[in-house]
Amino acid sequence: MKDKSLVSVSIFLASQIISLFGSAIVSYAIIWYITLKTSSTMALAMSIVCTYMPQIIISVFSGAWGDRFNKKYLIIIGDTITGVSTLILAALFINGFHSLYILYAACALRSVGAGIQTPLENAFLPLICPEEKLTKVNGIYVTATSAINILSPAMAGILLDIVDFGYTLLVDCITALLAVIVLFKLKYRNTISHEKENVSTLSDFVNGVKYFKQHVFLGRLIIFYLLFYFFMSAPAFLTPVLVNIKFGGSVNVLAINEFVWSLGTMLGGLSICLLKVYNKLRLMTFSSALFGVFICLLGSSENFYIYIFFMLCSGISLPLFNTSNTVLIQQNVKKEMLGRTFANLNILSTISTTIGVTIFGTAGDVIPVDTLLVLVGVFIALLSIWIWKLYREYGNYNVT
């Protein structure tokens, strides 16, 4: 039985990694195309809004759909929407229709597909994976995602140098098709929520939020997660600015900054796969405290090589936190609520990060960026006390 489960997990991970790789290459290609053609921050901002806003809106419904219908087919539908919308965009650009408005519309449609697919990935995994393997499997997925973040910018750049933008877009069409074919091979017995089937999808979303409140441990865990991502938006957004100010604004320096961060997250994912995690709340406490300390050290670094070392260390610590948090949610949520839980979490974390970027982006014009990062690092480290209290209070809970 376990062998069959692991085969199912392997098929599922393979399909999602293939899909993610193509989507990441095309996402970078779109950003660079807009940047090179317009040099306009407004044009780039519009593409970001079109990329994320539909995803937030559709996530309100996709979680409830996932709890009512077959998650496997919904993930396939999401991937198909992304692939077809990208194919239409590629055909238009290849035939000479080079309009930014067409590009924005395609970004919005791709976002709809991602809004269906992304939250259901985390909700689907615990249904096919043995519980004792969840941590390692999530670690493998984090490692693969980090590797894709390293490879996809380079692949996008190479393709844009070799072929026109329209032909570069076809990569996501091919990978989406391959991902769908692979996922169709997965044998999965559907789990459908039969409770209150006449309830509207919006009511299902509200019920998902209420579920957080009723489940005390889960509610506290998610509040911590949202606060963590609110503060984490600062280093994610401000470290390129810090590098530009302190260490020169060359493209090579900025590229090294992004590469080392992705390398660190990949190493963190690998460590999750290799290490035996005895208590996930304890690991969350340790990793969030470390992440905060390393962000403080990033802000105070005056030497680029020392800065890069702390960037690597912060990258390693983040997957330790994320994977532990994801597995804890997967283990402590009822199977019929998994779709709504991860969809709602996706919405709330996106909003939390957006608010953080807005606040810290504004604050960065008033407070020196290095000082701001040190303060944020202190707050993140202090947040770990909250998780330590959860560990002391729920030491015998399902946290192993």
Side-chain angles (χ1 to χ4, degrees), residues 7 14 23 34 43 50 54 56 63 81 98 113 154 177 184 199 238 242 267 304 330 340 342 346 356 362:
V7 169
S23 294
I34 294 172
C50 292
I56 293 172
I81 291 171
H98 298 166
L177 177 61
F184 262 119
V199 176
L238 295 176
L242 179 68
L267 293 174
F304 182 66
Q330 289 171 337
R340 277 163 285 187
F342 278 105
N346 185 52
T362 305

Side-chain angles (χ1 to χ4, degrees), residues 34 40-52 101 104 107:
I34 294 172
S40 167
T41 55
M42 179 61 70
L44 198 57
M46 278 296 297
S47 73
I48 292 171
V49 170
C50 292
T51 299
Y52 287 104
Y101 295 107
Y104 295 151
C107 285

Side-chain angles (χ1 to χ4, degrees), residues 109-171:
L109 285 173
R110 284 168 54 83
S111 180
V112 170
I116 296 172
Q117 182 180 0
T118 303
L120 294 183
E121 289 175 356
N122 286 327
F124 187 64
L125 193 56
L127 302 179
I128 59 173
C129 180
E131 187 171 312
E132 67 274 12
K133 298 290 185 183
L134 271 174
T135 302
K136 290 188 182 297
V137 169
N138 277 284
I140 290 169
Y141 191 55
V142 168
T143 304
T145 301
S146 301
I148 287 170
N149 288 337
I150 293 173
L151 294 173
S152 53
M155 288 296 296
I158 292 169
L159 287 170
L160 285 173
D161 279 340
I162 297 173
V163 299
D164 290 337
F165 175 67
Y167 291 102
T168 301
L169 295 172
L170 292 175
V171 171

